[in-house]
Amino acid sequence: MDNLQADIASWTAPAMTARSAARSVSREQLVYRLEAMVEQGGYAACLKALTDYVGATHYMLAHYDLSKENNLDLVVASDWPFDLVRRLSSLMIGLYSRTTELEKCLAVLQPSFLMLPDDMSLPAGISRDYCAITFNVGTTRLSLMLLFPENVILSQERLRDVGLLAAYFASTAGVVSTKTDREFDLTEREFECLFWISEGKTSDEIAVILGISRNTINNYITSVMRKTATKTRSEAIAYAVRNNLV
């Protein structure tokens, strides 16, 4: 399922009592393999190597910030069963809408686990839990979602390695652009207001700095929140930090 795109939000990992799934390949060996695979331009081979390294069975690389688009263009690459991909995309939209910008910031490179609905059919021996690791490439956020066998604990250390190496692979292989479309929607004045509220300035203080009225400043900030799909100034600041806008 190459050349598609998707999104996910992070939840707390459940307690699991089972054997570890860590494989014998070392981090150094994996890095060496990825370097060779990236040069050959193989998305699937890189993602499969990361999946095997952590002891998972299936991968899905997806665009985190595009979850509002209700279609399979969210997925970058996947070997999940197609029916699961199709069903999961609608769940992602709901999860994304309930996640605040601060939660999105804190979730970066923090492996988390979610559970697939009971009515979703899984391959034999696959756990109903799946792991999601979110990471940034420039101003774009991606999520790597992994299915894994039942009665297996995925190594937290190896999952963090996978997050970092997936970011390396995604940036080196040209999976994403360095800027988001949403960033280009902001005007110069809106960027200025976003910068100053991130510095802790009030509307009155920004009005003095920029030499325009307080009401105009508030209008710019309201426009910023609308364009970034945030509800408060704090969320707008978190969005700006997460996307390297300030």
Side-chain angles (χ1 to χ4, degrees), residues 12-25:
T12 304
M16 300 176 68
T17 55
R19 63 184 178 85
S20 173
R23 300 298 177 89
S24 59
V25 176

Side-chain angles (χ1 to χ4, degrees), residues 22-26 53-54 155-163:
R23 300 298 177 89
S24 59
V25 176
S26 69
Y53 173 74
V54 79
S155 163
Q156 292 291 311
E157 180 181 358
R158 289 204 168 202
L159 284 170
R160 283 188 287 271
D161 288 344
V162 163

Side-chain angles (χ1 to χ4, degrees), residues 25-189:
V25 176
S26 69
R27 182 189 305 171
E28 290 71 23
Q29 290 173 318
L30 178 62
V31 170
Y32 179 79
R33 291 181 183 181
L34 286 177
E35 287 176 343
M37 292 172 183
V38 167
E39 290 180 1
Q40 297 171 4
Y43 282 15
C46 288
L47 291 169
K48 181 59 177 171
L50 292 173
T51 302
D52 289 343
Y53 173 74
V54 79
T57 59
H58 298 76
Y59 62 81
M60 184 193 303
L61 181 63
H63 278 281
Y64 187 93
D65 285 337
L66 299 180
S67 64
K68 293 182 179 180
E69 302 294 332
N70 190 11
N71 57 62
L72 295 181
D73 289 340
L74 304 171
V75 181
V76 175
S78 175
D79 67 352
W80 282 38
F82 180 76
D83 287 345
L84 290 183
V85 177
R86 184 174 55 188
R87 285 285 311 277
L88 193 61
S89 63
S90 61
L91 297 177
M92 294 174 187
I93 297 169
L95 289 171
Y96 181 83
S97 65
R98 295 193 297 272
T99 307
T100 68
E101 290 297 326
L102 179 58
E103 289 170 335
K104 292 168 189 171
C105 287
L106 295 175
V108 174
L109 294 178
Q110 296 298 317
S112 57
F113 291 80
L114 301 92
M115 182 172 288
L116 296 169
D118 292 337
D119 63 343
M120 293 178 72
S121 178
L122 296 171
I126 297 300
S127 172
R128 195 158 293 279
D129 294 312
Y130 67 98
C131 181
I133 312 169
T134 59
F135 56 89
N136 292 336
V137 177
T139 59
T140 300
R141 172 170 288 194
L142 296 167
S143 179
L144 178 62
M145 290 162 282
L146 302 170
L147 294 177
F148 54 92
E150 294 177 329
N151 302 317
V152 159
I153 291 179
L154 300 182
S155 163
Q156 292 291 311
E157 180 181 358
R158 289 204 168 202
L159 284 170
R160 283 188 287 271
D161 288 344
V162 163
L164 290 170
L165 291 171
Y168 157 76
F169 148 71
S171 60
T172 305
V175 170
V176 296
S177 63
T178 58
K179 292 182 179 293
T180 63
D181 291 338
R182 189 177 289 166
E183 178 180 344
F184 292 109
D185 289 339
L186 299 181
T187 66
E188 183 178 351
R189 279 299 195 194

Side-chain angles (χ1 to χ4, degrees), residues 181-231:
D181 291 338
R182 189 177 289 166
E183 178 180 344
F184 292 109
D185 289 339
L186 299 181
T187 66
E188 183 178 351
R189 279 299 195 194
E190 288 168 349
F191 272 120
E192 289 177 327
C193 290
L194 185 56
F195 170 78
W196 286 116
I197 63 173
S198 70
E199 293 291 309
K201 301 298 183 182
T202 66
S203 292
D204 288 330
E205 290 170 329
I206 300 172
V208 172
I209 293 169
L210 299 183
I212 53 183
S213 72
R214 179 179 182 275
N215 287 340
T216 301
I217 295 298
N218 286 336
N219 288 337
Y220 281 133
I221 294 172
T222 299
S223 179
V224 167
M225 290 190 290
R226 176 178 57 80
K227 290 179 179 180
T228 58
T230 54
K231 299 177 181 178

